[in-house]
Amino acid sequence: MIEEQIERNYLEIKSKSDLEEVKKPNLNCEVSKVYPPDFQLNKFFYKQVGRDYHWNDRLAWNDKKWTDYVSNPNVFTFVLKENEDIAG
């Protein structure tokens, strides 16, 4: 059996004072919080972004597990849109 070490990093912001405002790169760009939570969107991002990074531990999750995950009050999803199209 081959062992592979996997390192997972998370972005955590503990205080608003840790944030620095920067100039918006494009007037047609907008970042918004997804509300209400949408497990299908999180699942889509996980598959699309994770493909290049070999994310696979959540691929077996059923819809209930995804719904439970995005319903956690400590989990937030933000979407970057450019001209109303999802960009990230």
Side-chain angles (χ1 to χ4, degrees):
M1 184 166 124
I2 298 174
E3 285 189 33
E4 180 179 348
Q5 183 175 347
I6 297 172
E7 181 179 327
R8 182 174 286 172
N9 297 291
Y10 297 89
L11 171 63
E12 181 177 11
I13 301 170
K14 294 184 178 186
S15 169
K16 286 185 180 181
S17 65
D18 293 338
L19 301 174
E20 294 179 21
E21 188 171 344
V22 296
K23 184 179 172 191
K24 203 174 185 181
N26 181 330
L27 293 177
N28 297 321
C29 286
E30 175 182 277
V31 174
S32 59
K33 182 178 175 183
V34 176
Y35 187 82
D38 179 353
F39 82 90
Q40 294 284 15
L41 184 62
N42 285 73
K43 190 174 176 179
F44 170 79
F45 282 147
Y46 184 85
K47 287 179 179 179
Q48 296 303 311
V49 174
R51 181 181 321 129
D52 293 339
Y53 300 98
H54 308 288
W55 295 352
N56 56 28
D57 56 320
R58 296 181 186 171
L59 293 178
W61 282 11
N62 61 27
D63 290 353
K64 167 100 171 73
K65 188 138 183 170
W66 276 105
T67 300
D68 291 345
Y69 172 72
V70 300
S71 298
N72 180 323
N74 295 314
V75 173
F76 303 97
T77 303
F78 292 85
V79 173
L80 170 66
K81 290 186 178 180
E82 183 174 7
N83 296 321
E84 297 299 316
D85 295 323
I86 293 177

